[in-house]
Amino acid sequence: MLTRPDLRSLLWRESGEPPGEKGADGVRYGKSRIYQVRDNMAVVVRHPSAWPDRTLFDFPVVRARSPFDANASIDLIVSKSTIDKFAAAHRANPVFEAWRHLVDEMPPVNNAHHYLHHKHPQATFGTLASAHACFQGVKRPYEMEDGGENVCVYVISTDFTIGWAPDMACVVDVKAAPPATVLTVQVRPAHSLQPTPVGVWGVITKWEFVGASTEQPSLPRDYNNRYARLLWSL
Amino acid sequence: MTEITDIEAWLHAKGQPTAVYLADSDCVEYVAEDTTAVYERVDEWLTLIFDETSIIPIGFKLKGFRNVFEKLKPELGWNDGQFVQLVAVVERICTSLGDEAIEDVRRRQSYAAAAKLAKDVVLYDLPLAA
């Protein structure tokens, strides 16, 4: 087991940033991180005002259940062209929603994580990783496919979502998800699109709140007719 | 596509409603207001977009442009380069269509929504002015 001095040096080496002065509470405050070593465990907490590591329009690879085997996992990427178009149209809400519900992180904007966690501690978010159903075939023209036969649609239930808010503290705010809706996420396999990174199963092309079925409130309205088949339901 | 370099400015700016062609989902989407949206499918070509109350329409989505283009391509002698130009035309048309049609519908629906809300409000006796 590492000793306390070893843990401290490991922390500082890994972060690439030397800590600042030790405060009266025994915690060292760095420029952007708070370090604490206690009970032989190292704790590194991002300082609330620290600038995020990622950039808003660059999404990491996302993990999801495989459409054809709910017990297996696949890697997906978020469509860069879709994000670029939303950015050009000044649509912040879908970009924020993608971070929250696809990546399962707050968008990398100032104060989004700490401030909102403090302001809305009870908020929980449905994410792609917690999708409870998956359909295939969207029954509408989709590029070369007359019926979007290869498009898969994940279904997510969520009580809360996030959106753009004109606030000095943070431009993101937590809000209740639209009532009687589910969040659908459309995915296309990699072979039908432009080249994708090695190991990536497909591309997330769209994510939308849609009205929920009255008979099955966890599924989209008219799910029996709008999709070709149900792949799995948990 | 112009790269957004000043994200802070982008976060605090308010853009104009505009239609955009989303290539990976093969649809043109017009949204008049940057807010949480609820999509209601009408048919295989058209989806209406409402605000989070699902009452006020804020946009629409037209689907399958590339699919139609690919079918017409051999007949009309078009090539893939022309699709890019066609997309620009379609975006411009849908922006104008959206600006006119959605604003008019939103105004009507707003009155309808306000009337519905007003019916649900219970008026208590107002206190006498001091």
Side-chain angles (χ1 to χ4, degrees), chain B residues 29-79:
Chain B
E29 191 167 296
Y30 171 92
V31 168
E33 188 184 333
D34 184 20
T35 185
T36 304
V38 179
Y39 291 68
E40 291 292 341
R41 174 185 161 124
V42 175
D43 57 26
E44 65 264 42
W45 301 103
L46 173 66
T47 291
L48 292 180
I49 305 173
F50 293 84
D51 72 352
E52 55 206 296
T53 66
S54 297
I55 298 174
I56 313 288
I58 59 169
F60 59 86
K61 182 169 78 166
L62 295 171
K63 301 168 273 189
F65 277 103
R66 183 82 201 203
N67 184 268
V68 171
F69 175 82
E70 290 296 328
K71 289 188 163 67
L72 292 175
K73 206 164 74 172
E75 196 179 313
L76 298 175
W78 287 344
N79 57 54

Side-chain angles (χ1 to χ4, degrees), chain A residues 91-160:
Chain A
R91 289 183 61 188
N93 275 276
V95 177
F96 291 169
E97 286 166 7
W99 277 100
R100 185 63 263 175
H101 298 292
L102 304 181
V103 182
D104 193 14
E105 290 179 15
M106 280 299 185
V109 299
N110 211 21
N111 282 337
H113 177 73
H114 293 278
Y115 175 67
L116 295 180
H117 183 67
H118 181 70
K119 192 178 170 193
H120 303 280
Q122 82 291 353
T124 55
F125 304 93
T127 67
L128 185 59
S130 67
H132 58 268
C134 189
F135 292 89
Q136 186 184 29
V138 290
K139 293 189 175 179
R140 66 98 160 160
Y142 218 112
E143 271 204 340
M144 311 308 179
E145 301 174 10
D146 287 347
E149 297 85 10
N150 286 314
V151 179
C152 297
V153 181
Y154 291 88
V155 183
I156 301 167
S157 290
T158 183
D159 293 329
F160 292 91

Side-chain angles (χ1 to χ4, degrees), chain A residues 63-74 128-131 154 232 234:
Chain A
R63 184 141 279 209
R65 293 181 190 269
S66 166
F68 303 107
D69 181 358
N71 295 317
S73 294
I74 55 169
L128 185 59
S130 67
Y154 291 88
W232 47 259
L234 303 177

